[in-house]
Amino acid sequence: MSSDQVPSTPHHTCAAVPPAPKRTPSRTTLLGTLSVRKRRRVSIASFDLEAELGIPAPPESAVEETDADRFVAIRSPSSIVPLNTTPRTNRIAKSFGLLDDRVLNYTEGPSSPSETKLRTMLRRSASELFNVPRLPSSVSAKANLAARKQFVMALDGPGISRDPFAFSMSWSQTNCIGVAFNLNVYFQNLDTRAIIHLCRVSEGVGPVHSLGWRAEPHSHILGLGTTSGNVGIWDASSQKQIADWSNEKVPVGGCHWNENVLAFGRKDGRVSLFDVRTPKEIRQTKGHKRHVHGVKWSPDGKYLASGDHAGTVHIWDQRASDYLTSGDKKLLAKHEGPVKAISWSPWQSGLVATGGMFPDGAIQIFNVNKLSGVSPPLVIDTSTNITSLHWSPHCKELLSTHGTSWTKDQALYDYPPPAKEAPITPFTNSMTVHGYPSSERIVSVVGHSAGIAHSCIGPDGCSIFTVSPVEETIKMFKVWASSESFAKRDGQGLGRMNTIR
């Protein structure tokens, strides 16, 4: 054969081939003795059937991302190599009944964009189905006042003082509501609905400016003060006056009881303390320079908070007989307008909220146990007159009552804008419940056609009485619910939950 001829393909001969051993070394043993590169070469040489059968190899391309499972083998559409690589896997699959292309071929390739988009939508829909919204607490105002915004009871109030700084209404722990109508004081037992005329002050003494019931077990005792400075104590059960302090001629502000001691604010900046067991004033505190409007004892009786017409808030420590905010000590709260509304938290010691009137319109919440300036007060701006504040004893919520609102430009004036020029905001003439410490406005209810001058909380800690002197009405609203009322309802079915109806 010449050298320029192309050699032909060798033919297989029938030479004797030595018999194969009954068992060859396993693939694991063979591959374990080779390196990674050699192992790859052996694998290619062993299964390169495409080259032998004349099938062109696919061009090399970049790695393509796929939505298929990374742990399930994907067979290329152009490949004819079966996935049954070893007889052993065939035997195992056959014994378990899994010898089926549908099992060994989970997917034929990457999903189309439309299928991927559809799968994403299905996942989002399923997550929304399992995302159950959080229900409001059964004691929260969101589940009570927000669900029923109508008043529960309405009373006529002709002759109620139109002074925005008057405290003309008080609610006793024995469920009696006392109201001052100019020179007269009435109270109604809400259990029996009986209305009783308690007293009438003389015209020379002046109209009744503030009222305050004493706490139990003496909740039938009512203290009152007039615009001329007279202070008196009346027994509602016997309808008789049991104490009279008429020596002072300085008009009073707000009042509040601490067991036997009754505190009254004064126009000259003093706070007078009276004891029902003594015929004279027992003490005076001098920390303010303007008319003291709001006074409120802490629930434990240790501190007395007071706010004046200049917006200054002082905390008086009864044990030390001194102000915590006097001298070089920093003021805990300073409003830009008069402070009438003050409320202590019944569930956190030392936490107090104060509200300012025009041009301030802000609620400040702070803790008297943290006197350093590191923790500034929490401020809730309303740009509306804040006439009263009440903490809920059942949840961490604060209620505020409001009057006229104003704009930022109108806040620069000396007097609040008239009703016709005042803007209408969610706080205008409303009761608003705020969450603590989130400051979230939970619900606002406009219960009167005019501003709310004052309000008081009931003995159950759930209901609020509001008074509007312009409208001359007094209305009661159910704001919160107590856990005890739900337990009682569960035990008595449709029976009454409390004594307030």
Side-chain angles (χ1 to χ4, degrees):
M1 183 182 294
S2 62
S3 61
D4 56 350
Q5 291 180 351
V6 179
S8 60
T9 305
H11 297 279
H12 295 284
T13 62
C14 296
V17 179
K22 294 183 178 180
R23 181 169 182 176
T24 60
S26 64
R27 186 180 180 185
T28 305
T29 307
L30 178 61
L31 295 180
T33 60
L34 302 176
S35 64
V36 177
R37 183 175 299 176
K38 291 181 178 180
R39 188 185 308 168
R40 189 178 300 116
R41 289 177 182 172
V42 171
S43 176
I44 294 174
S46 301
F47 298 97
D48 194 6
L49 299 180
E50 295 179 356
E52 295 183 6
L53 298 177
I55 300 175
E60 295 184 358
S61 60
V63 179
E64 182 180 359
E65 294 184 359
T66 177
D67 292 336
D69 196 321
R70 56 180 294 192
F71 297 107
V72 178
I74 302 176
R75 180 166 49 185
S76 174
S78 62
S79 176
I80 63 171
V81 179
L83 292 177
N84 311 335
T85 56
T86 64
R88 184 169 179 269
T89 49
N90 285 335
R91 290 196 305 269
I92 296 175
K94 187 175 181 180
S95 63
F96 284 96
L98 301 177
L99 192 58
D100 193 346
D101 286 343
R102 289 179 299 175
V103 176
L104 298 176
N105 186 15
Y106 179 74
T107 179
E108 293 296 336
S111 303
S112 63
S114 60
E115 294 177 354
T116 305
K117 185 177 180 181
L118 177 61
R119 188 159 44 246
T120 303
M121 294 175 61
L122 291 175
R123 290 196 192 103
R124 186 181 297 112
S125 301
S127 62
E128 291 177 356
L129 289 175
F130 288 103
N131 186 17
V132 180
R134 184 178 179 182
L135 297 176
S137 172
S138 58
V139 301
S140 172
K142 184 178 292 187
N144 294 274
L145 182 61
R148 181 183 179 181
K149 299 182 179 181
Q150 293 79 15
F151 58 88
V152 179
M153 178 188 299
L155 303 173
D156 293 332
I160 296 179
S161 174
R162 295 201 174 191
D163 186 353
F165 299 101
F167 297 80
S168 55
M169 183 173 56
S170 182
W171 202 343
S172 73
Q173 293 183 354
T174 54
N175 209 21
C176 292
I177 182 74
V179 185
F181 299 96
N182 198 0
L183 302 175
N184 297 281
V185 176
Y186 291 84
F187 73 91
Q188 180 178 7
N189 189 319
L190 298 179
D191 294 330
T192 63
R193 302 299 177 92
I195 301 176
I196 300 175
H197 178 252
L198 181 61
C199 64
R200 175 184 173 87
V201 300
S202 60
E203 295 183 1
V205 172
V208 178
H209 183 78
S210 57
L211 296 175
W213 290 99
R214 191 177 173 184
E216 289 183 335
H218 306 284
S219 54
H220 59 282
I221 302 299
L222 179 67
L224 59 89
T226 66
T227 55
S228 64
N230 282 21
V231 175
I233 307 296
W234 287 78
D235 187 344
S237 57
S238 62
Q239 303 178 30
K240 294 182 180 180
Q241 187 174 10
I242 58 177
D244 181 21
W245 297 285
S246 57
N247 297 329
E248 286 282 351
K249 299 301 179 182
V250 181
V252 300
C255 65
H256 195 232
W257 286 91
N258 178 24
E259 295 182 352
N260 297 315
V261 179
L262 177 62
F264 262 100
R266 295 285 187 178
K267 189 176 181 180
D268 57 3
R270 293 176 297 141
V271 177
S272 300
L273 303 180
F274 301 93
D275 194 319
V276 294
R277 298 166 296 183
T278 60
K280 297 182 180 181
E281 181 183 66
I282 59 173
R283 187 183 294 274
Q284 293 181 356
T285 63
K286 300 178 181 180
H288 296 274
K289 297 180 180 179
R290 300 289 298 276
H291 193 159
V292 179
H293 296 296
V295 292
K296 190 65 66 74
W297 289 98
S298 61
D300 55 10
K302 296 180 181 178
Y303 303 107
L304 177 65
S306 55
D308 62 18
H309 200 79
T312 302
V313 177
H314 279 309
I315 306 296
W316 185 72
D317 189 345
Q318 183 184 20
R319 298 166 299 178
S321 298
D322 192 12
Y323 281 101
L324 298 177
T325 51
S326 62
D328 58 349
K329 298 177 182 178
K330 187 176 181 179
L331 293 175
L332 295 180
K334 181 66 173 69
H335 294 265
E336 299 299 327
V339 176
K340 174 190 176 184
I342 301 175
S343 180
W344 291 87
S345 170
W347 35 262
Q348 182 173 343
S349 176
L351 187 65
V352 61
T354 59
M357 302 185 73
F358 180 86
D360 182 75
I363 301 173
Q364 297 192 23
I365 305 173
F366 55 92
N367 197 315
V368 300
N369 298 322
K370 301 177 181 179
L371 294 177
S372 63
V374 179
S375 300
L378 177 63
V379 180
I380 303 174
D381 187 21
T382 66
S383 296
T384 310
N385 279 326
I386 302 171
T387 56
S388 62
L389 292 170
H390 301 285
W391 287 99
S392 170
H394 309 294
C395 56
K396 292 185 177 181
E397 295 178 358
L398 176 67
L399 179 139
S400 58
T401 59
H402 302 273
T404 306
S405 302
W406 56 82
T407 63
K408 292 183 178 180
D409 295 335
Q410 293 172 338
L412 302 177
Y413 302 157
D414 294 333
Y415 298 97
K420 295 182 180 180
E421 300 178 5
I424 303 299
T425 71
F427 298 101
T428 305
N429 304 334
S430 73
M431 292 184 305
T432 300
V433 180
H434 314 267
Y436 178 82
S438 64
S439 303
E440 172 194 4
R441 183 169 63 90
I442 298 176
V443 60
S444 294
V445 174
V446 179
H448 298 270
S449 60
I452 299 175
H454 187 54
S455 69
C456 52
I457 190 169
D460 60 354
C462 301
S463 302
I464 297 288
F465 257 119
T466 59
V467 56
S468 176
V470 177
E471 196 180 72
E472 292 188 341
T473 56
I474 304 171
K475 295 180 180 180
M476 185 179 77
F477 296 86
K478 181 68 177 297
V479 181
W480 298 291
S482 63
S483 56
E484 291 81 3
S485 64
F486 282 98
K488 189 174 181 180
R489 181 180 62 181
D490 294 340
Q492 296 183 359
L494 299 177
R496 294 179 299 175
M497 290 186 292
N498 47 58
T499 57
I500 305 299
R501 298 184 294 275

PDB file of all heavy atoms in Angstrom, residues 374-390:
ATOM      1  N   VAL A 374     -31.877  64.977  78.883  1.00  0.00           N
ATOM      2  CA  VAL A 374     -31.561  63.976  77.867  1.00  0.00           C
ATOM      3  C   VAL A 374     -32.838  63.438  77.227  1.00  0.00           C
ATOM      4  O   VAL A 374     -32.877  63.143  76.035  1.00  0.00           O
ATOM      5  CB  VAL A 374     -30.731  62.837  78.489  1.00  0.00           C
ATOM      6  CG1 VAL A 374     -30.421  61.776  77.438  1.00  0.00           C
ATOM      7  CG2 VAL A 374     -29.460  63.388  79.112  1.00  0.00           C
ATOM      8  N   SER A 375     -33.887  63.314  78.012  1.00  0.00           N
ATOM      9  CA  SER A 375     -35.151  62.775  77.517  1.00  0.00           C
ATOM     10  C   SER A 375     -36.152  63.909  77.369  1.00  0.00           C
ATOM     11  O   SER A 375     -36.847  64.265  78.338  1.00  0.00           O
ATOM     12  CB  SER A 375     -35.687  61.704  78.472  1.00  0.00           C
ATOM     13  OG  SER A 375     -34.764  60.646  78.599  1.00  0.00           O
ATOM     14  N   PRO A 376     -36.244  64.534  76.193  1.00  0.00           N
ATOM     15  CA  PRO A 376     -37.219  65.614  76.010  1.00  0.00           C
ATOM     16  C   PRO A 376     -38.628  65.065  76.018  1.00  0.00           C
ATOM     17  O   PRO A 376     -38.845  63.874  75.768  1.00  0.00           O
ATOM     18  CB  PRO A 376     -36.847  66.186  74.638  1.00  0.00           C
ATOM     19  CG  PRO A 376     -36.212  65.050  73.910  1.00  0.00           C
ATOM     20  CD  PRO A 376     -35.481  64.259  74.971  1.00  0.00           C
ATOM     21  N   PRO A 377     -39.611  65.903  76.305  1.00  0.00           N
ATOM     22  CA  PRO A 377     -41.000  65.414  76.327  1.00  0.00           C
ATOM     23  C   PRO A 377     -41.471  65.012  74.942  1.00  0.00           C
ATOM     24  O   PRO A 377     -41.004  65.512  73.914  1.00  0.00           O
ATOM     25  CB  PRO A 377     -41.789  66.614  76.868  1.00  0.00           C
ATOM     26  CG  PRO A 377     -40.940  67.796  76.557  1.00  0.00           C
ATOM     27  CD  PRO A 377     -39.525  67.326  76.662  1.00  0.00           C
ATOM     28  N   LEU A 378     -42.411  64.077  74.924  1.00  0.00           N
ATOM     29  CA  LEU A 378     -43.060  63.667  73.688  1.00  0.00           C
ATOM     30  C   LEU A 378     -44.113  64.712  73.330  1.00  0.00           C
ATOM     31  O   LEU A 378     -44.988  65.022  74.147  1.00  0.00           O
ATOM     32  CB  LEU A 378     -43.698  62.295  73.853  1.00  0.00           C
ATOM     33  CG  LEU A 378     -44.492  61.741  72.668  1.00  0.00           C
ATOM     34  CD1 LEU A 378     -43.594  61.528  71.469  1.00  0.00           C
ATOM     35  CD2 LEU A 378     -45.201  60.458  73.059  1.00  0.00           C
ATOM     36  N   VAL A 379     -44.039  65.268  72.130  1.00  0.00           N
ATOM     37  CA  VAL A 379     -44.902  66.382  71.730  1.00  0.00           C
ATOM     38  C   VAL A 379     -45.840  65.917  70.630  1.00  0.00           C
ATOM     39  O   VAL A 379     -45.414  65.310  69.639  1.00  0.00           O
ATOM     40  CB  VAL A 379     -44.073  67.589  71.252  1.00  0.00           C
ATOM     41  CG1 VAL A 379     -44.991  68.733  70.836  1.00  0.00           C
ATOM     42  CG2 VAL A 379     -43.123  68.051  72.355  1.00  0.00           C
ATOM     43  N   ILE A 380     -47.131  66.210  70.809  1.00  0.00           N
ATOM     44  CA  ILE A 380     -48.158  65.945  69.802  1.00  0.00           C
ATOM     45  C   ILE A 380     -48.778  67.288  69.426  1.00  0.00           C
ATOM     46  O   ILE A 380     -49.478  67.899  70.241  1.00  0.00           O
ATOM     47  CB  ILE A 380     -49.239  64.983  70.318  1.00  0.00           C
ATOM     48  CG1 ILE A 380     -48.615  63.669  70.786  1.00  0.00           C
ATOM     49  CG2 ILE A 380     -50.291  64.718  69.248  1.00  0.00           C
ATOM     50  CD1 ILE A 380     -49.601  62.719  71.431  1.00  0.00           C
ATOM     51  N   ASP A 381     -48.525  67.761  68.238  1.00  0.00           N
ATOM     52  CA  ASP A 381     -49.008  69.064  67.796  1.00  0.00           C
ATOM     53  C   ASP A 381     -50.402  68.929  67.198  1.00  0.00           C
ATOM     54  O   ASP A 381     -50.641  68.078  66.337  1.00  0.00           O
ATOM     55  CB  ASP A 381     -48.038  69.662  66.776  1.00  0.00           C
ATOM     56  CG  ASP A 381     -48.411  71.084  66.404  1.00  0.00           C
ATOM     57  OD1 ASP A 381     -49.142  71.728  67.189  1.00  0.00           O
ATOM     58  OD2 ASP A 381     -47.995  71.557  65.328  1.00  0.00           O
ATOM     59  N   THR A 382     -51.325  69.784  67.656  1.00  0.00           N
ATOM     60  CA  THR A 382     -52.693  69.770  67.127  1.00  0.00           C
ATOM     61  C   THR A 382     -53.115  71.109  66.535  1.00  0.00           C
ATOM     62  O   THR A 382     -54.092  71.158  65.787  1.00  0.00           O
ATOM     63  CB  THR A 382     -53.694  69.389  68.236  1.00  0.00           C
ATOM     64  OG1 THR A 382     -53.715  70.414  69.241  1.00  0.00           O
ATOM     65  CG2 THR A 382     -53.305  68.059  68.880  1.00  0.00           C
ATOM     66  N   SER A 383     -52.411  72.211  66.887  1.00  0.00           N
ATOM     67  CA  SER A 383     -52.791  73.570  66.449  1.00  0.00           C
ATOM     68  C   SER A 383     -54.251  73.842  66.768  1.00  0.00           C
ATOM     69  O   SER A 383     -54.976  74.470  65.986  1.00  0.00           O
ATOM     70  CB  SER A 383     -52.506  73.741  64.955  1.00  0.00           C
ATOM     71  OG  SER A 383     -51.123  73.637  64.695  1.00  0.00           O
ATOM     72  N   THR A 384     -54.688  73.370  67.927  1.00  0.00           N
ATOM     73  CA  THR A 384     -56.072  73.515  68.374  1.00  0.00           C
ATOM     74  C   THR A 384     -56.068  73.669  69.884  1.00  0.00           C
ATOM     75  O   THR A 384     -55.191  73.133  70.572  1.00  0.00           O
ATOM     76  CB  THR A 384     -56.916  72.286  67.982  1.00  0.00           C
ATOM     77  OG1 THR A 384     -56.723  71.998  66.596  1.00  0.00           O
ATOM     78  CG2 THR A 384     -58.392  72.518  68.233  1.00  0.00           C
ATOM     79  N   ASN A 385     -57.038  74.402  70.413  1.00  0.00           N
ATOM     80  CA  ASN A 385     -57.154  74.542  71.864  1.00  0.00           C
ATOM     81  C   ASN A 385     -57.361  73.175  72.510  1.00  0.00           C
ATOM     82  O   ASN A 385     -58.243  72.413  72.102  1.00  0.00           O
ATOM     83  CB  ASN A 385     -58.325  75.453  72.224  1.00  0.00           C
ATOM     84  CG  ASN A 385     -57.964  76.930  72.101  1.00  0.00           C
ATOM     85  OD1 ASN A 385     -56.826  77.319  72.364  1.00  0.00           O
ATOM     86  ND2 ASN A 385     -58.930  77.744  71.706  1.00  0.00           N
ATOM     87  N   ILE A 386     -56.561  72.875  73.524  1.00  0.00           N
ATOM     88  CA  ILE A 386     -56.677  71.618  74.268  1.00  0.00           C
ATOM     89  C   ILE A 386     -57.275  71.959  75.629  1.00  0.00           C
ATOM     90  O   ILE A 386     -56.638  72.606  76.458  1.00  0.00           O
ATOM     91  CB  ILE A 386     -55.308  70.933  74.421  1.00  0.00           C
ATOM     92  CG1 ILE A 386     -54.706  70.662  73.035  1.00  0.00           C
ATOM     93  CG2 ILE A 386     -55.444  69.639  75.203  1.00  0.00           C
ATOM     94  CD1 ILE A 386     -53.279  70.201  73.076  1.00  0.00           C
ATOM     95  N   THR A 387     -58.507  71.523  75.852  1.00  0.00           N
ATOM     96  CA  THR A 387     -59.235  71.926  77.054  1.00  0.00           C
ATOM     97  C   THR A 387     -59.205  70.875  78.164  1.00  0.00           C
ATOM     98  O   THR A 387     -59.442  71.214  79.321  1.00  0.00           O
ATOM     99  CB  THR A 387     -60.698  72.235  76.688  1.00  0.00           C
ATOM    100  OG1 THR A 387     -61.273  71.085  76.033  1.00  0.00           O
ATOM    101  CG2 THR A 387     -60.763  73.418  75.731  1.00  0.00           C
ATOM    102  N   SER A 388     -58.925  69.613  77.848  1.00  0.00           N
ATOM    103  CA  SER A 388     -58.849  68.581  78.887  1.00  0.00           C
ATOM    104  C   SER A 388     -58.120  67.374  78.341  1.00  0.00           C
ATOM    105  O   SER A 388     -58.063  67.161  77.124  1.00  0.00           O
ATOM    106  CB  SER A 388     -60.247  68.179  79.398  1.00  0.00           C
ATOM    107  OG  SER A 388     -61.014  67.613  78.344  1.00  0.00           O
ATOM    108  N   LEU A 389     -57.558  66.577  79.263  1.00  0.00           N
ATOM    109  CA  LEU A 389     -56.819  65.356  78.923  1.00  0.00           C
ATOM    110  C   LEU A 389     -57.215  64.258  79.895  1.00  0.00           C
ATOM    111  O   LEU A 389     -57.410  64.519  81.090  1.00  0.00           O
ATOM    112  CB  LEU A 389     -55.307  65.581  78.989  1.00  0.00           C
ATOM    113  CG  LEU A 389     -54.680  66.519  77.949  1.00  0.00           C
ATOM    114  CD1 LEU A 389     -53.235  66.823  78.321  1.00  0.00           C
ATOM    115  CD2 LEU A 389     -54.755  65.915  76.555  1.00  0.00           C
ATOM    116  N   HIS A 390     -57.290  63.016  79.381  1.00  0.00           N
ATOM    117  CA  HIS A 390     -57.620  61.866  80.233  1.00  0.00           C
ATOM    118  C   HIS A 390     -56.869  60.634  79.737  1.00  0.00           C
ATOM    119  O   HIS A 390     -56.992  60.265  78.557  1.00  0.00           O
ATOM    120  CB  HIS A 390     -59.129  61.581  80.222  1.00  0.00           C
ATOM    121  CG  HIS A 390     -59.982  62.717  80.684  1.00  0.00           C
ATOM    122  ND1 HIS A 390     -60.092  63.070  82.016  1.00  0.00           N
ATOM    123  CD2 HIS A 390     -60.748  63.602  79.980  1.00  0.00           C
ATOM    124  CE1 HIS A 390     -60.902  64.110  82.121  1.00  0.00           C
ATOM    125  NE2 HIS A 390     -61.313  64.454  80.907  1.00  0.00           N
TER     126      HIS A 390
END
